[in-house]
């Protein structure tokens, strides 16, 4: 519900900003600090629905696959850390109010057993990645497990989409659309696999 609210109020502006090569043009306006604007967008995905893979592809178009990959990976890690930290420090009263002590205990149990896998794999899924980072914080997942799992999921993601962006530099609109759609396709495949099992 909360993720859809920005679309209700600002859907047209969000769609225009991130459609086609809009994100590349928007980042180009920041010149030498386009990297910081991109990292800011990746962090903003905690509150508003930002197509993070399109941002990562745009970094590949602007900075190339290596530097773009480093920035994209770093932005993904920072975003996960912010969500984890805020929810770990301030989110438990709200979580307890929403799900009760029993629900919170169940979340802690899940994250103590397979939390690392959940965090690493969730980086590849739209919307889910930031929700999982927040849930890991709420569940007080140990930081020594959370950070490596977050990093393992973020680095390949950042470099893959940065490379996709770089390789598609000649057709940025097509590249960014594909980059935004690929996580949804992966999720649908994974979801059908999970349902079948």
């Amino acid at each position: 519900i909360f993720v859809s609210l920005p679309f209700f109020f600002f859907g047209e502006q969000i769609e225009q900003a991130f459609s086609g090569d809009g994100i590349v043009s928007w980042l180009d306006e920041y010149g030498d600090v386009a990297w910081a604007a991109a990292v800011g967008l990746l962090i903003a995905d905690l509150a508003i629905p930002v197509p993070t893979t399109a941002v990562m592809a745009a970094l590949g178009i602007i900075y190339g696959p290596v530097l773009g990959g480093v920035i994209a990976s770093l932005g993904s890690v920072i975003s996960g850390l912010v969500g984890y930290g805020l929810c770990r420090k301030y989110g438990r009263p709200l979580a307890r109010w929403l799900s009760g002590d029993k629900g919170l205990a169940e979340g802690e149990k899940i994250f103590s057993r397979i939390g690392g896998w959940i965090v690493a794999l969730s980086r590849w899924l739209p919307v889910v990645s930031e929700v999982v980072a927040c849930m890991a914080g709420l569940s007080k997942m140990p930081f020594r497990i959370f950070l490596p799992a977050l990093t393992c999921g973020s680095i390949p993601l950042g470099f893959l989409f940065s490379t996709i962006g770089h390789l598609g530099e000649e057709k940025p609109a097509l590249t960014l659309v594909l980059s935004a759609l690929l996580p949804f396709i992966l999720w649908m495949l994974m979801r059908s696999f999970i349902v079948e099992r």
Side-chain angles (χ1 to χ4, degrees):
I1 294 173
F2 296 115
V3 173
S4 62
L5 283 177
F7 271 121
F8 180 74
F9 293 108
F10 307 108
E12 190 174 326
Q13 294 91 332
I14 291 172
E15 188 177 332
Q16 286 175 355
F18 296 113
S19 65
D21 58 356
I23 185 64
V24 176
S25 301
W26 187 81
L27 289 174
D28 275 338
E29 291 177 15
Y30 286 88
D32 293 340
V33 293
W35 63 270
V39 170
L41 282 175
L42 295 175
I43 295 169
D45 188 41
L46 289 162
I48 61 171
V50 173
T52 55
T53 52
V55 174
M56 293 175 179
L59 285 166
I61 292 170
I62 295 168
Y63 292 106
V66 177
L67 183 55
V70 169
I71 297 166
S73 301
L74 186 63
S76 180
V77 169
I78 292 170
S79 177
L81 288 172
V82 169
Y84 172 88
L86 287 174
C87 287
R88 184 173 176 121
K89 186 163 179 75
Y90 302 110
R92 285 182 69 84
L94 177 61
R96 186 172 281 117
W97 180 72
L98 289 172
S99 63
D101 288 330
K102 185 178 178 184
L104 209 51
E106 286 175 13
E108 288 173 354
K109 186 177 178 183
I110 291 169
F111 274 92
S112 69
R113 287 187 297 125
I114 57 170
W117 285 106
I118 294 171
V119 170
L121 296 174
S122 73
R123 301 316 289 172
W124 292 79
L125 304 174
V127 180
V128 176
S129 60
E130 303 314 329
V131 170
V132 167
C134 290
M135 288 175 58
L138 289 173
S139 300
K140 295 206 171 187
M141 180 181 182
F143 185 74
R144 63 184 170 74
I145 297 172
F146 176 77
L147 181 59
L150 176 68
T151 304
C152 286
S154 295
I155 290 175
L157 177 74
F159 277 94
L160 174 68
F161 283 102
S162 176
T163 301
I164 288 171
H166 177 71
L167 294 175
E169 189 173 0
E170 310 248 329
K171 296 181 181 176
L174 177 62
T175 300
L176 294 174
V177 167
L178 289 175
S179 296
L181 289 178
L182 186 57
F184 288 101
I185 294 167
L186 289 172
W187 169 242
M188 294 308 290
L189 292 172
M190 181 176 279
R191 186 174 162 212
S192 64
F193 177 77
I194 291 168
V195 170
E196 287 173 10
R197 300 291 174 251

